[in-house]
Amino acid sequence: MLSADATPLDLQSLLADTAIIPGITYIPDYISASEEEQLLLKIDQQTWSTQLKRKVQHYGYKYDYKKRLLEASMHLGALPNWAQNIAQRFTLEGLTEKLPDQAIVNEYLPGQGIASHIDCVPCFGNTIISLSLGGTCVMEFTCGKTKDKVPVLLLPRSIIILQGAARYEWQHGIVARKTDKYQGREFVRTRRVSLTFRSVLLSQGSDSNLKSKI
């Protein structure tokens, strides 16, 4: 939902904003509206965890938010078909070299966000891919070295891919608020669901913990 006096959104400017951050790839309209609707229906048929302020679903491996670690015993099994199909598409299209084997679904209601962070470095591989469904929000990226901040508008059905510096040197987070301003427009938040895909860094047969220092 937008403000009544909003100026037109400049998609090229949006893509230029993301290009400021080395290692980011942003693809709008990665899936169709019909695919989005079917995914949301399938996700809402699953069981949500309410351990956090926001609701989440874990697939492949469960991540321990409090201890910031992942271990082999947290394996939940293969990704469900609907998530596996997306992971395979990412791989076939060359968006990631390794087939993702872990996915987290996050639900963000208006007023909810996530603290600025870097995904656990020893836990997950070089490529993080997140698919946005439902609402729109601004994700803020902060450079660890310069503290520069870059806002990126996450549109419904878009994906954002973090690799290289974007993966390891820039924190990303969502401020907890009910509206976002971007390019002169005001975006009123509605329910947003994100699907984040990652590959787990566990040696075969290893039972050791992988813990983040972040």
Side-chain angles (χ1 to χ4, degrees):
M1 185 182 298
L2 312 178
S3 62
D5 60 349
T7 56
L9 178 65
D10 184 350
L11 185 57
Q12 291 303 314
S13 179
L14 167 58
L15 296 176
D17 282 347
T18 64
I20 295 173
I21 307 168
I24 271 193
T25 302
Y26 184 95
I27 304 177
D29 293 318
Y30 183 73
I31 62 172
S32 68
S34 175
E35 290 173 315
E36 176 187 40
E37 181 181 6
Q38 291 302 312
L39 274 173
L40 285 170
L41 285 173
K42 179 63 68 173
I43 288 167
D44 283 331
Q45 291 172 358
Q46 314 309 313
T47 302
W48 290 95
S49 168
T50 57
Q51 292 181 336
L52 304 177
K53 291 182 179 180
R54 64 186 185 279
K55 293 195 296 186
V56 299
Q57 296 177 17
H58 294 255
Y59 297 102
Y61 289 82
K62 184 174 181 179
Y63 178 71
D64 190 320
Y65 293 99
K66 291 184 178 180
K67 296 180 180 179
R68 296 180 180 177
L69 62 79
L70 185 148
E71 55 191 16
S73 62
M74 294 176 176
H75 187 232
L76 302 172
L79 298 181
N81 289 338
W82 53 269
Q84 185 70 13
N85 291 339
I86 300 172
Q88 289 175 340
R89 178 178 170 182
F90 291 155
T91 308
L92 289 172
E93 294 179 356
L95 302 179
T96 178
E97 293 183 359
K98 187 175 180 181
L99 180 69
D101 56 1
Q102 196 261 1
I104 292 182
V105 181
N106 287 284
E107 179 194 63
Y108 296 94
L109 299 177
Q112 292 182 326
I114 185 170
S116 189
H117 67 285
I118 293 175
D119 286 29
C120 177
V121 172
C123 302
F124 304 111
N126 177 60
T127 302
I128 310 293
I129 306 179
S130 187
L131 169 64
S132 294
L133 307 175
T136 299
C137 80
V138 168
M139 176 172 278
E140 191 171 84
F141 287 80
T142 305
C143 181
K145 296 179 180 178
T146 66
K147 306 306 177 185
D148 289 341
K149 294 183 182 295
V150 177
V152 175
L153 187 69
L154 301 182
L155 294 169
R157 301 183 297 281
S158 68
I159 61 169
I160 192 164
I161 307 168
L162 308 184
Q163 296 173 316
R167 161 75 174 100
Y168 297 111
E169 299 174 19
W170 288 71
Q171 293 189 348
H172 58 279
I174 298 172
V175 178
R177 57 194 175 204
K178 294 186 178 181
T179 60
D180 291 301
K181 291 184 178 180
Y182 186 83
Q183 289 187 8
R185 301 181 82 163
E186 183 176 85
F187 293 83
V188 179
R189 290 190 189 176
T190 58
R191 182 193 187 222
R192 175 177 172 268
V193 174
S194 71
L195 284 70
T196 300
F197 291 81
R198 304 177 284 203
S199 57
V200 171
L201 297 177
L202 276 180
S203 300
Q204 285 218 322
S206 171
D207 290 324
S208 62
N209 292 354
L210 293 177
K211 187 172 182 179
S212 175
K213 296 180 181 179
I214 299 171

